Amino acid sequence: MSPSAGVTRNTLRQQIADALRDEVLAGRLPPGREFTVKQIAEQYGVSATPVREALFDLSAQGLLASDQHRGFQVREFTVADYRAMAEARALVVEGLFRNPAEVAVRPEGLASIRRRAAEAVRAAKGGDLDVLIGYDLRFWRELGQFVLNPYIADFLTRLRVQAWVFAVHRLRRDGMDENVLWFGHEELVEAIARGDHEQVHAEMRSYYGHALAWADRLEARETEGSAEGDVEVRADGPSSGPGSAMPPKSPESPGHCA
């Protein structure tokens, strides 16, 4: 293989991975959606090799699950997963800002981050989820560039992407408001710019507290829905034993359908 061929394939691999990640983040590839290398290759009109590599890249990032026989599917994150993501990020970020040697704030980089923050807040207040996700990810990615340990920065970025994969279809289903979305991007940037570590901690606690409160509400709703489902199954079931709401209908009973 010539060097140019290798570069072309790697570039194509990245383009396919980026395109599929965007589809997942936009909610057009919902959790549990299954597909094969062949299907994606045909969709994009490319060979199987860069597609397979791109899918394995996304699997390594935790966005896809792979099965030897069924191909790939968009990973389904639970509320417990989301809570663990928020708690992990909170612990890491708390540690970073308590150890200034791990963070190097470059004033020249703050102007771009301020713009990302303003656009993210504007999109959140306007209910534009697609724009919000894009600017929010750029905001945290650029903040991550201040972290001197690249492995930590990469870890935080991956968790943020995974959190959006969890959130996007729920937000499209339930809608967005101030009880769900966090609007503190600009306050966080200004606290960082001032070197106000106490305020940075306060903003980050607000951010993660907001995420965990949403997780609590989702969990309560899912638990309630599960309980209602159990009641419905029991009410419709064939049991005529003690505690049954009513005896089963005989074939001659009014309303019985064969």
Side-chain angles (χ1 to χ4, degrees):
M1 179 188 299
S2 67
S4 59
V7 170
T8 300
R9 196 183 82 184
N10 287 336
T11 302
L12 187 57
R13 165 186 182 171
Q14 187 61 53
Q15 289 175 341
I16 294 169
D18 290 344
L20 289 173
R21 187 186 301 106
D22 289 344
E23 291 290 298
V24 172
L25 287 170
R28 290 187 288 271
L29 283 177
R33 171 72 177 274
E34 296 180 354
F35 47 82
T36 64
V37 171
K38 181 180 179 182
Q39 289 172 330
I40 299 300
E42 291 176 349
Q43 176 180 335
Y44 288 103
V46 297
S47 66
T49 299
V51 170
R52 185 178 295 105
E53 292 171 343
L55 294 177
F56 279 121
D57 286 345
L58 294 178
S59 297
Q61 294 169 26
L63 302 186
L64 302 180
S66 61
D67 183 275
Q68 182 177 358
H69 303 291
R70 300 174 63 182
F72 295 82
Q73 65 176 332
V74 179
R75 184 172 172 184
E76 296 188 71
F77 292 106
T78 66
V79 175
D81 291 328
Y82 178 72
R83 179 180 287 108
M85 294 173 200
E87 291 173 346
R89 294 182 79 226
L91 287 171
V92 172
V93 172
E94 179 82 6
L96 283 173
F97 281 101
R98 290 201 180 281
N99 184 6
E102 294 289 343
V103 180
V105 177
R106 296 180 295 277
E108 66 275 12
L110 287 172
S112 175
I113 296 175
R114 283 190 174 99
R115 289 194 297 271
R116 307 299 189 201
E119 292 296 340
V121 172
R122 186 176 297 113
K125 291 181 177 179
D128 193 331
L129 187 57
D130 290 333
V131 173
L132 169 60
I133 292 173
Y135 277 110
D136 180 79
L137 288 175
R138 293 187 187 100
F139 171 81
W140 291 106
R141 187 179 300 117
E142 291 186 18
L143 271 184
Q145 293 175 2
F146 294 159
V147 178
L148 297 180
N149 187 321
Y151 294 97
I152 292 177
D154 183 60
F155 171 74
L156 292 172
T157 296
R158 291 190 181 200
L159 282 184
R160 187 60 185 155
V161 173
Q162 291 175 6
W164 272 120
V165 172
F166 165 85
V168 62
H169 73 282
R170 289 173 170 84
L171 293 175
R172 293 195 189 283
R173 178 192 67 196
D174 301 335
M176 303 184 296
D177 58 34
E178 66 276 5
N179 293 319
V180 176
L181 299 178
W182 180 73
F183 302 130
H185 299 72
E186 293 171 301
E187 288 80 0
L188 176 60
V189 175
E190 296 313 315
I192 292 173
R194 294 193 305 271
D196 187 342
H197 294 291
E198 289 303 317
Q199 189 60 35
V200 169
H201 291 148
E203 296 297 338
M204 294 306 300
R205 284 193 296 270
S206 169
Y207 173 62
Y208 293 116
H210 204 87
L212 293 173
W214 185 45
D216 289 341
R217 292 194 299 273
L218 288 173
E219 188 172 57
R221 181 187 305 172
E222 291 183 4
T223 300
E224 181 181 352
S226 176
E228 290 176 353
D230 289 342
V231 170
E232 183 178 352
V233 169
R234 289 194 296 270
D236 292 342
S239 173
S240 58
S244 296
M246 62 180 66
K249 295 180 180 179
S250 68
E252 293 78 20
S253 300
H256 176 80
C257 297

